[in-house]
Every structure is written in structure tokens, then in C-alpha cells.
């Protein structure tokens, strides 16, 4: 039964390796560890969530419910144009963001909102009147000392209108849909009908403002154009009169827009050019004839002869006669009369050809002479007209200048006159460049406050803050939670984890001793009956099937192994601080050893706070101090528990603290322990805590083995390290550490395999949370 079971996490493995103490390092947190941190710190996670949700609910209950109605309008960009005759005074142009943004700001301007306030009489609406605030008395106090205020000189009606406009500006939001020309006019109000009415009224006021602006611009343009037209009209009349007067004074008659002299010059110049061309052609023909004559060539090769029809016919006839002559000569001979007759015909035909060529040559010379004469005549006439034109050139330059001025004035006058008529016609009809795409409808659900969004944000922020708080708290929590932490810090084996016994379980066991109260003598100096002893001091004996008893047996097994390997007589059970469960551990361990038949002595070594004595024999009159100083014999001071066979050496309370300290460092304690070493197999000492008192360190010098009790989730890591430093002179005697008062239901968030979740199939007693000493 005392052998180790591998399924039980409280039993130390065979030959546990003793590791040197090392400084504590926090392990790397993985996702599973993060989940365990959140589960074990769930209260810290839930607290910010509850606070933020409470604040969100309070805000939702106190804030005013608002409804939002949206009207969508299409805004076209516009630019000013006064003098262009093919467009209106205010016309559309390209799409630039600045223009659309300007129209967006215009919609929410004071000029438009004043129209809405006046049309809907919002100054009489309680929603658009300033509500009294907590700081109003302070503002009025400061306004009394100020020399002037924003309302100085303004009537009550104007001030009320200005305040309503200011409230409406806060309740209204005008936004552009992306990069389009669509603009949303959203208005918030406590009434859904009022929100839709105001949104549509703002759109209508914007259109009215556009029409008014265009009408004003058109009217101003028409007035300006009328003034310009009168001035231009007088300028045109003066310019045209100056042109006519100058033309008459300088005899500059005009036909079809050109003076007569210029027209004659143009005609003669054109004729002279044509005459020069004809002269050049005739000269070329004549020079060709002269060259042929000088070179003795055939004059029939000239172009005029070749192109002559007469010469062409004669040559054809000449060729026929020559052919007939050749035929007759070959047939009758050269002296035949027919041949002589044909020869005579050939000579006559040649003569006719020569006469025709000579006539063409004479005609070429005659044509050249005529063309040259005509050119000379035209040149003389042109020279005369140029002389006359030169004398009137300066006058024509001035005339053209006057004509240009008159034409410019006439053109400008006609343009302004046409524009004036168009502008006058536009005054009677002006349409806005924008139009409503969607009229604001009555909203069916409130837009503010956004309940789900606010609650969702509160929940998310609460969870985030709670998680951060949980991680931070866990990171800063330096208390020991697992056996691995104890082993890592102390450098010695962790022997077992003693569970926390719930208050209900202890109360159930305490009720067993009610029947013994009638037979109990409160003045007795002996041990209390088992039923009257604190239930926790006998829990391992009374409830052997619990995890508490299993943990005590695990410590006992480790001690037995050490006793088999080495001579061990005195075992000190101590702790770093007070209230860490060392007394409960020492009593239950001693009782467990005694039940095996081992002669065991339990010594209450805490003379300052003798908890063993207070629990088992509160009325004792002799104890460790009386035995050490020789006032009482050891066998008279030792009390025996008949139910377990455990011997107990109590300690009476001593008020002289300095005497206790000297006693622990004296040889008398050594003599007492030597006396009991020969009479008991094992001595268990419940010693004072190590850190606050030096008594425990002195007893450690006299002990063979030391068991250090650590309160689960209570003992800081730094305290354990300090306790190990204090025990460094006897570090080879430290057998291990024991976690006490372990809440197995919470241990699963630190070490699942030693928690109640893993051990649930093996029992349920003692697993309830509660406080127990």
C-alpha cells in the first residue's frame, strides 16, 4: 500500500535528482498558457467588461434618442460668365473637387440655415432652443466682467435665430458621396417627422439660394451691359463719321470696299503680267527661227510649221507624188512622159511647201513685234497710275486705321447689344443647377445612440482591458503555483501538493466531537480526545481515501526511502513564513508514520507560537522548555496519542523572547534531541518559520533532514529563494518542498495533471474550496 503509484501526482519519483537552485525565469507563454491565464484570472477579465457595459448602459439610458433623415441632391459646378453670348450668366463647367466641396459648405452655411429656421419657425421649437447647463451661472458671471459680448447690439429675435442656427448646424451633417456630384444632407432630430421635414427644407433653401444668386447675377449683368451699350453706341457713331469725313477730304472713293485707283492698278498689273508672258513666248519662237536660219537647217522643223495643217497636207501630197514617181520610173523609165509629168508635180508641191514655211516665219516675227509693243504700252500706263497711288498712300493708311477702329467699335457694340437682350430675357426665368435625387423620408428607427455598436465596443474594450489586466497581473504575480516552480526555484525536489480542505468538510468532521464534550475535562493537561482535536490535524487518519491523505503518504514515502539509504532520526518541518501549513503537515506526517508502527515523536519546536500544543493539548503544563532546563523529566512531559501511538512533546508559551533564542543555540536542546534519538526511531519537529525568526535556522543545524512547507498561491518566489539562502549551510539536508493548502479546482489552470479535473475519477472528498489552517 505504501508503494508509489505512477498515476498519483503526489508521489516523488524514485531517486529524484537534486538540482542546484537557480534564479527563477518566467517560461515562454504559448496559446494554451494564455488560455489558462485568462481562465484563472477570469474575474479580472470580467470586471472591466462589467464596468464598461454598465457605463455604456447608463449612457444609453441617459442620452437622448435621435432620428436621422437624409436628403440627397445632385450638385452641378457653376462659374460666372457675363460677356459670352452663347451661354447663360451662370453656366456649368468641368468637374473639380474644390467646386463640389464649396457647394457642400454652402449648403450648411448660415445664409441657407437662416432661411430654414425662418420657414419652419425653429426659434419657437424647444428642441432648437439652448438648454440650461451646469456651467451657465459661471458663464454669466464671466460675461458680467467682460466689456462686450457676442450679443451686444443684437435684438432678442436675432439672438434667438442665431442660437437656433447654431444648434441646427450641430444637428446637420453634409457629406459628399465619394468623388461624385451627389451630396447627402443628414439632419438629426428627436422627432423622425421633424428630421425629414428639416432635411427637405434645407435642400429647398439651397435651391432657392441658387435661383436668387443667378437672378441677382443676371440683374447686375443686365444693368452693367445697358451702361456699356450707350457708351459703345456713341463711340461707333463717332468712328464711322470720322471715316466718311476723311474719305471725302482725300477723294478716296471706294467701290466694293476698294478705292478706284487701287482697282485700276490691280487690273493693269494683271494685264501687264499676261502681256509679258505673250512677249516671252513670241520672242522664243522668233529666236528659234533665227537660229535655224543662221545654221542652215530645215525651217520646216519649227513648231509652227509642224503644227500647220496646210504644211501637213502638202507634205502628204508630196509623199504621194514622190511614191507615184518612183513607181512610174521603175515601170516606164526616167524619160517617159508620165514620169516627167509627175516630176513636174513634185516640184510644184515642194515650192508650195517652201512658200508656206516662209509665210510662217514672217508671221512669227510679226507676232513678236506686236507683243513687245503691247507690253510697252501697258508698262507706261501702270507707271502713270503708280505715281498717282504714291501721292495718296499716306491718306489711305490713315483711312484704313480709321476703318479698323470703326469696325472694332461696331463689333463690340453688336456683341453687347445681343448679350443685353439675352440677359434681359433670362431675368424672367432662372432654374437651379442642382436637383433632388432622393427626398428625405421619415426614419423608422433611431440613428443615435447606436446601442449595439456601443455595447459591442464596450464589450470588446472591456475584454481587451480585462485580458491585458489579467496578463499583467499574472506576470507580476510572484507567488508559487506549481511543483515545477518550487523545484526550479529551490533546486530540491517537490515532494507533494497537499490539497485545501473546505470549511464545509471541516465543519462536518467537527460535529463528530459534540458527543465528547460532556465527558471532556477542560482542565486536563493530557491530549485532547481525537474527536475534539481540530479536524485538520487528524484528516489524513480520519479520511485515508482523500487526496489530502495521499499527499501525506507521498511525503512519508519519500522520507522512508531516505531512511533506508541513510540514517535519519530528526526531521524538521518548517516554512519560510507564518501560516503556510507547516503545523498541519507536521502533525499529519507524524501520525501517518506512527500508524505504520514507527516509534515517532512530534516536538513542538515553535516556542513563540506553539500551534501543535494549542491544537492537541492546550492545557499542558510541561513541555520542551521545561525538559531542556531540567525542571521536568522527559518521560513526564511526553504525551501519547493512544489512537495512533504518536508521542508528542508540547511547548508551553514563554514570554521571555530572548531566553527562547538563547535556548535554541544552547547545548540543552542538543542534549534533549540526543536523549530522544536513542528512544525513538524518528523525531518530527514543527519549527518556527525561517525568514522572520532565527530559531528555525538553529534547529536546522540539529536536524538530519528538512522539509520546507510552501503555501500554494501565497508564498512569493523571492521569499522561497531567500529561505533557501538561509538554509545554504545545511542545503545537503533539505529533503524537499511541499505545497500546502492547494486549491485543486484552481490548480487545473496552472497544472492540469495535478488538478481536481484530472483526479476526479479517484475521489471527491476535500475538493471544495474554503479556508483552513
Amino acid at each position: 500500500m505504501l508503494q508509489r503509484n505512477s498515476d498519483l501526482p503526489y508521489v516523488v519519483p524514485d531517486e529524484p535528482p537534486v538540482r542546484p537552485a537557480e534564479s527563477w525565469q518566467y517560461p515562454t507563454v504559448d496559446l494554451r498558457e494564455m488560455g489558462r491565464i485568462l481562465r484563472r484570472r477570469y474575474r479580472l477579465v470580467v470586471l472591466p467588461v462589467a464596468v464598461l457595459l454598465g457605463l455604456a448602459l447608463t449612457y444609453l439610458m441617459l442620452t437622448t434618442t435621435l432620428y436621422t433623415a437624409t436628403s440627397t441632391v445632385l450638385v452641378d459646378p457653376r462659374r460666372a460668365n457675363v460677356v459670352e453670348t452663347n451661354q447663360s450668366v451662370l453656366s456649368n463647367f468641368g468637374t473639380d473637387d474644390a467646386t463640389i466641396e464649396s457647394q457642400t459648405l454652402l449648403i450648411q452655411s448660415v445664409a441657407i440655415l437662416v432661411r430654414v429656421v425662418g420657414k419652419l419657425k425653429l426659434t419657437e421649437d424647444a428642441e432648437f432652443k439652448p438648454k440650461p447647463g451646469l456651467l451657465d451661472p459661471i458663464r454669466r458671471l464671466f460675461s458680467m466682467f467682460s466689456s462686450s459680448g457676442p450679443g451686444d447690439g443684437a435684438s432678442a429675435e436675432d439672438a434667438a435665430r442665431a442660437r437656433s442656427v447654431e444648434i441646427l448646424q450641430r444637428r446637420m451633417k453634409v457629406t459628399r458621396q465619394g468623388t461624385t456630384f451627389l451630396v447627402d444632407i443628414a439632419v438629426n432630430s428627436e422627432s423622425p417627422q421633424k428630421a425629414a421635414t428639416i432635411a427637405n427644407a434645407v435642400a429647398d433653401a439651397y435651391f432657392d439660394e441658387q435661383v436668387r444668386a443667378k437672378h441677382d447675377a443676371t440683374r447686375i449683368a443686365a444693368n452693367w451691359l445697358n451702361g456699356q451699350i450707350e457708351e459703345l453706341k456713341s463711340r461707333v457713331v463717332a468712328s464711322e463719321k470720322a471715316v466718311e469725313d476723311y474719305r471725302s477730304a482725300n477723294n478716296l472713293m471706294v467701290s466694293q470696299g476698294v478705292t478706284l485707283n487701287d482697282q485700276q492698278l490691280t487690273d493693269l498689273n494683271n494685264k501687264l503680267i499676261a502681256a509679258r508672258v505673250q512677249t516671252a513666248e513670241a520672242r522664243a519662237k522668233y529666236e528659234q527661227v533665227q537660229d535655224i536660219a543662221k545654221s542652215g537647217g530645215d525651217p520646216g522643223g519649227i513648231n509652227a510649221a509642224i503644227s500647220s495643217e496646210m504644211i501637213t497636207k502638202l507634205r502628204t501630197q508630196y509623199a504621194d507624188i514622190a511614191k507615184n514617181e518612183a513607181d512610174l520610173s521603175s515601170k516606164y523609165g526616167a524619160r517617159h512622159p508620165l514620169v516627167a509629168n509627175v516630176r513636174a508635180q513634185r516640184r510644184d508641191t515642194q515650192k508650195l511647201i517652201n512658200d508656206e514655211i516662209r509665210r510662217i516665219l514672217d508671221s512669227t516675227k510679226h507676232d513678236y513685234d506686236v507683243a513687245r509693243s503691247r507690253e510697252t504700252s501697258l508698262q507706261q500706263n501702270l507707271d502713270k497710275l503708280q505715281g498717282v497711288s504714291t501721292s495718296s498712300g499716306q491718306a489711305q493708311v490713315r483711312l484704313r486705321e480709321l476703318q479698323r477702329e470703326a469696325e472694332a467699335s461696331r463689333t463690340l457694340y453688336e456683341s453687347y447689344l445681343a448679350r443685353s437682350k439675352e440677359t434681359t430675357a433670362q431675368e424672367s426665368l432662372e432654374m437651379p443647377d442642382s436637383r433632388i435625387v432622393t427626398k428625405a423620408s421619415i426614419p423608422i428607427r433611431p440613428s443615435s445612440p447606436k446601442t449595439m455598436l456601443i455595447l459591442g465596443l464596450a464589450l470588446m474594450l472591456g475584454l481587451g482591458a480585462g485580458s491585458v489586466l489579467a496578463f499583467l497581473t499574472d506576470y507580476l504575480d510572484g507567488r508559487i503555483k506549481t511543483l515545477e516552480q518550487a523545484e526550479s526555484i529551490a533546486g530540491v525536489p517537490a515532494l507533494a501538493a497537499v490539497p485545501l480542505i473546505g470549511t464545509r468538510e471541516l465543519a462536518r468532521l467537527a460535529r463528530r466531537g459534540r458527543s465528547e464534550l460532556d465527558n471532556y475535562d477542560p482542565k486536563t493537561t493530557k491530549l485532547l480526545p481525537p474527536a475534539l482535536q481540530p479536524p485538520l490535524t487528524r484528516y489524513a487518519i480520519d479520511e485515508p481515501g482523500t487526496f489530502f491523505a495521499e499527499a501525506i503518504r507521498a511525503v512519508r514515502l519519500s522520507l522512508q526511502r531516505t531512511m533506508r539509504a541513510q540514517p535519519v532520526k530528526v526531521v524538521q518541518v518548517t516554512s519560510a513564513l507564518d501560516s503556510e501549513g507547516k503545523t498541519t503537515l507536521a502533525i499529519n506526517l507524524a501520525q501517518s508514520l506512527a500508524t505504520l508502527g514507527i516509534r515517532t515523536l512530534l516536538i513542538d519546536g515553535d516556542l513563540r507560537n506553539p500551534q501543535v500544543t494549542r491544537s492537541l493539548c492546550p492545557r499542558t503544563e510541561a513541555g520542551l522548555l521545561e525538559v531542556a532546563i531540567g525542571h521536568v523529566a522527559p518521560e513526564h512531559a511526553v504525551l501519547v496519542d493512544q489512537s495512533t501511538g504518536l508521542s508528542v512533546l508540547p511547548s508551553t508559551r514563554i514570554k521571555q523572547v530572548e531566553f527562547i533564542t538563547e535556548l535554541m543555540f544552547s547545548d540543552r536542546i542538543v542534549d534533549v534531541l540526543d536523549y530522544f534519538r536513542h528512544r525513538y526511531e524518528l523525531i518530527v519537529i514543527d519549527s518556527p518559520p525561517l525568514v522572520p525568526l532565527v530559531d528555525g535556522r538553529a534547529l536546522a543545524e540539529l536536524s538530519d533532514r528538512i522539509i520546507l512547507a510552501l503555501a500554494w498561491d501565497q508564498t512569493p518566489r523571492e521569499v522561497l529563494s531567500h529561505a533557501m539562502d538561509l538554509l545554504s549551510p545545511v542545503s545537503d539536508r533539505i529533503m524537499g518542498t511541499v505545497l500546502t493548502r492547494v486549491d485543486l479546482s484552481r490548480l487545473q489552470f496552472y497544472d492540469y495533471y495535478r488538478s481536481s479535473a484530472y483526479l476526479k475519477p479517484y475521489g471527491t472528498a476535500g475538493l471544495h474550496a474554503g479556508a483552513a489552517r
Side-chain angles (χ1 to χ4, degrees):
M1 182 178 67
L2 299 178
Q3 293 181 351
R4 176 179 176 270
N5 187 341
S6 60
D7 291 336
L8 298 176
Y10 305 106
V11 182
V12 180
D14 293 332
E15 300 298 332
V18 178
R19 293 178 293 179
E22 58 184 9
S23 61
W24 167 253
Q25 296 180 352
Y26 288 98
T28 303
V29 178
D30 56 11
L31 292 178
R32 290 180 296 180
E33 179 63 21
M34 292 174 64
R36 287 194 291 267
I37 291 174
L38 294 177
R39 289 186 65 185
R40 63 178 174 249
R41 305 286 182 182
Y42 72 92
R43 290 186 178 88
L44 294 178
V45 177
V46 172
L47 179 61
V49 174
V51 172
L52 290 180
L53 285 178
L55 294 176
L57 290 174
T58 303
Y59 170 76
L60 292 175
M61 289 186 294
L62 296 179
T63 189
T64 304
T65 301
L66 297 178
Y67 295 85
T68 301
T70 302
S71 176
T72 303
V73 299
L74 176 64
V75 179
D76 291 335
R78 301 175 297 135
R79 65 181 173 88
N81 179 26
V82 176
V83 296
E84 293 187 13
T85 61
N86 59 344
Q87 296 182 7
S88 60
V89 175
L90 292 177
S91 61
N92 300 335
F93 77 113
T95 61
D96 66 279
D97 292 338
T99 303
I100 305 301
E101 294 298 332
S102 298
Q103 294 302 309
T104 302
L105 295 176
L106 176 62
I107 294 175
Q108 49 190 332
S109 64
V110 175
I112 291 179
L113 297 186
V114 166
R115 290 173 175 264
V116 177
V117 170
K119 179 180 179 181
L120 301 181
K121 298 180 179 180
L122 296 182
T123 54
E124 302 174 4
D125 193 332
E127 183 178 352
F128 290 90
K129 291 181 180 179
K131 295 180 176 58
L134 297 177
L135 300 180
D136 288 348
I138 300 178
R139 294 193 186 98
R140 286 193 295 268
L141 179 62
F142 280 101
S143 63
M144 292 174 60
F145 296 99
S146 61
S147 59
S148 62
D152 290 350
S155 63
E157 183 180 356
D158 293 339
R161 184 185 303 110
R163 288 192 292 266
S164 298
V165 169
E166 182 180 357
I167 296 174
L168 180 57
Q169 282 181 328
R170 293 198 298 265
R171 292 290 183 89
M172 186 177 67
K173 183 177 182 182
V174 181
T175 56
R176 179 185 180 185
Q177 294 185 8
T179 57
T180 66
F181 290 165
L182 296 177
V183 176
D184 292 334
I185 304 174
V187 177
N188 298 326
S189 176
E190 299 176 6
S191 171
Q193 294 84 358
K194 189 187 301 181
T197 302
I198 295 176
N200 292 325
V202 171
D204 295 338
Y206 169 62
F207 297 152
D208 294 341
E209 178 65 19
Q210 282 189 333
V211 172
R212 185 195 62 79
K214 296 180 70 174
H215 182 271
D216 292 345
T218 304
R219 180 170 49 80
I220 293 173
N223 295 335
W224 180 80
L225 286 173
N226 291 333
Q228 294 295 318
I229 286 172
E230 294 298 329
E231 181 181 353
L232 289 174
K233 182 178 179 180
S234 60
R235 189 184 303 172
V236 169
V237 172
S239 299
E240 291 180 349
K241 184 176 184 303
V243 170
E244 295 299 330
D245 293 344
Y246 191 83
R247 181 181 288 117
S248 299
N250 292 274
N251 195 21
L252 298 176
M253 302 305 296
V254 177
S255 176
Q256 296 180 353
V258 182
T259 62
L260 295 177
N261 190 31
D262 290 342
Q263 188 175 4
Q264 291 176 358
L265 278 174
T266 302
D267 294 341
L268 286 175
N269 191 36
N270 293 335
K271 292 179 180 180
L272 179 60
I273 292 173
R276 286 177 179 176
V277 172
Q278 292 178 359
T279 302
E281 291 179 353
R283 181 179 179 181
K285 293 179 181 180
Y286 178 73
E287 289 178 352
Q288 182 184 12
V289 172
Q290 293 296 324
D291 292 340
I292 293 175
K294 291 179 181 180
S295 62
D298 183 13
I302 64 177
N303 295 331
I306 293 173
S307 61
S308 175
E309 294 182 359
M310 180 61 72
I311 291 177
T312 301
K313 292 179 179 180
L314 290 174
R315 285 183 176 179
T316 301
Q317 184 179 356
Y318 180 84
D320 293 340
I321 294 173
K323 180 180 177 183
N324 191 21
E325 181 184 3
D327 292 341
L328 292 175
S329 295
S330 61
K331 183 176 180 181
Y332 298 108
R335 295 186 180 275
H336 192 277
L338 293 174
V339 174
N341 187 24
V342 170
R343 187 178 294 119
Q345 292 178 359
R346 180 175 62 78
R347 285 194 297 270
D348 292 339
T349 302
Q350 181 64 47
K351 181 181 177 182
L352 293 174
I353 292 173
N354 293 335
D355 292 342
E356 184 66 21
I357 291 174
R358 191 178 298 108
R359 187 185 64 79
I360 291 175
L361 294 176
D362 293 340
S363 176
T364 301
K365 182 177 181 303
H366 177 71
D367 291 340
Y368 173 65
D369 292 339
V370 171
R372 186 173 59 181
S373 175
R374 183 171 180 272
E375 179 184 357
T376 302
S377 176
L378 291 173
Q379 184 65 47
Q380 291 175 356
N381 293 332
L382 181 63
D383 292 340
K384 291 180 181 180
L385 287 176
Q386 285 180 345
V388 176
S389 177
T390 301
S391 61
S392 61
Q394 296 297 327
Q396 291 180 354
V397 171
R398 176 58 182 167
L399 177 62
R400 285 193 292 270
E401 180 180 355
L402 294 175
Q403 288 176 339
R404 285 194 297 270
E405 291 179 359
E407 184 65 24
S409 299
R410 186 183 304 108
T411 302
L412 185 60
Y413 171 72
E414 293 175 352
S415 174
Y416 273 49
L417 183 60
R419 186 58 177 162
S420 176
K421 294 181 179 299
E422 294 177 359
T423 304
T424 303
Q426 290 177 8
E427 281 190 80
S428 60
L429 178 63
E430 291 292 351
M431 298 297 293
D433 293 326
S434 304
R435 60 185 177 86
I436 294 180
V437 177
T438 304
K439 275 188 169 293
S441 58
I442 298 176
I444 59 176
R445 60 178 58 90
S447 61
S448 175
K450 299 184 182 299
T451 304
M452 298 307 298
L453 178 61
I454 293 175
L455 293 179
L457 288 176
L459 179 61
M460 297 301 295
L461 292 176
L463 288 176
S467 299
V468 172
L469 183 61
F471 289 134
L472 182 62
T473 303
D474 194 82
Y475 177 80
L476 298 177
D477 188 0
R479 295 171 295 183
I480 297 174
K481 302 294 193 307
T482 62
L483 297 177
E484 286 75 11
Q485 292 178 357
E487 288 183 357
S488 176
I489 298 172
V492 296
L495 304 179
V498 180
L500 176 68
I501 307 302
T503 54
R504 292 183 181 180
E505 178 68 11
L506 295 178
R508 181 183 64 84
L509 296 176
R511 285 194 294 269
R512 297 178 182 178
R514 291 181 179 179
S515 60
E516 298 289 338
L517 289 176
D518 297 334
N519 301 325
Y520 172 65
D521 183 7
K523 297 181 179 180
T524 182
T525 59
K526 298 180 180 180
L527 292 174
L528 294 175
L532 296 181
Q533 293 178 8
L536 200 57
T537 59
R538 299 182 57 85
Y539 198 80
I541 302 300
D542 295 339
E543 302 291 337
T546 60
F547 299 143
F548 186 95
E550 194 68 23
I552 298 300
R553 288 193 289 268
V555 180
R556 184 186 67 186
L557 179 59
S558 299
L559 182 57
Q560 286 178 308
R561 288 174 179 166
T562 305
M563 293 172 61
R564 296 190 193 104
Q566 300 174 359
V568 176
K569 284 288 188 178
V570 180
V571 176
Q572 179 187 8
V573 179
T574 185
S575 63
L577 301 174
D578 192 19
S579 300
E580 293 196 73
K582 62 178 180 59
T583 300
T584 302
L585 175 61
I587 295 174
N588 282 273
L589 177 59
Q591 290 176 348
S592 180
L593 291 169
T595 56
L596 296 180
I598 301 174
R599 295 194 306 277
T600 305
L601 174 63
L602 174 61
I603 299 179
D604 190 353
D606 193 351
L607 300 180
R608 305 171 189 263
N609 185 21
Q611 293 187 16
V612 173
T613 304
R614 191 180 300 114
S615 300
L616 302 181
C617 47
R619 297 295 182 177
T620 185
E621 298 178 352
L624 176 60
L625 179 61
E626 288 74 16
V627 173
I629 62 178
H631 290 177
V632 179
E635 58 274 10
H636 293 161
V638 174
L639 304 177
V640 179
D641 185 0
Q642 300 299 328
S643 61
T644 59
L646 175 64
S647 299
V648 179
L649 179 59
S651 295
T652 56
R653 180 179 296 274
I654 303 175
K655 296 182 180 180
Q656 294 79 7
V657 178
E658 66 280 0
F659 182 71
I660 297 175
T661 304
E662 296 300 330
L663 177 64
M664 288 299 176
F665 287 92
S666 65
D667 294 336
R668 296 178 180 179
I669 294 296
V670 178
D671 295 339
V672 172
L673 292 179
D674 289 340
Y675 175 82
F676 289 117
R677 281 177 185 269
H678 296 89
R679 288 166 175 77
Y680 292 93
E681 297 180 54
L682 190 63
I683 301 174
V684 178
I685 302 178
D686 177 26
S687 73
L690 298 173
V691 174
L693 302 175
V694 74
D695 302 354
R697 305 173 214 170
L699 288 175
E701 302 285 345
L702 306 178
S703 303
D704 299 326
R705 287 294 180 268
I706 302 171
I707 298 176
L708 186 61
L710 305 174
W712 182 83
D713 197 21
Q714 179 177 340
T715 303
R717 300 185 181 99
E718 296 80 4
V719 172
L720 176 57
S721 299
H722 182 52
M724 296 306 296
D725 293 338
L726 296 177
L727 294 177
S728 58
V730 291
S731 59
D732 57 332
R733 305 180 188 180
I734 302 175
M735 191 175 73
T737 60
V738 176
L739 282 182
T740 61
R741 306 179 65 184
V742 177
D743 189 345
L744 296 182
S745 62
R746 294 175 53 199
L747 185 62
Q748 61 178 326
F749 303 126
Y750 300 94
D751 188 354
Y752 178 79
Y753 298 104
R754 290 185 177 89
S755 67
S756 60
Y758 184 73
L759 299 175
K760 189 174 182 180
Y762 301 97
T764 58
L767 299 184
H768 302 287
R773 292 190 54 89

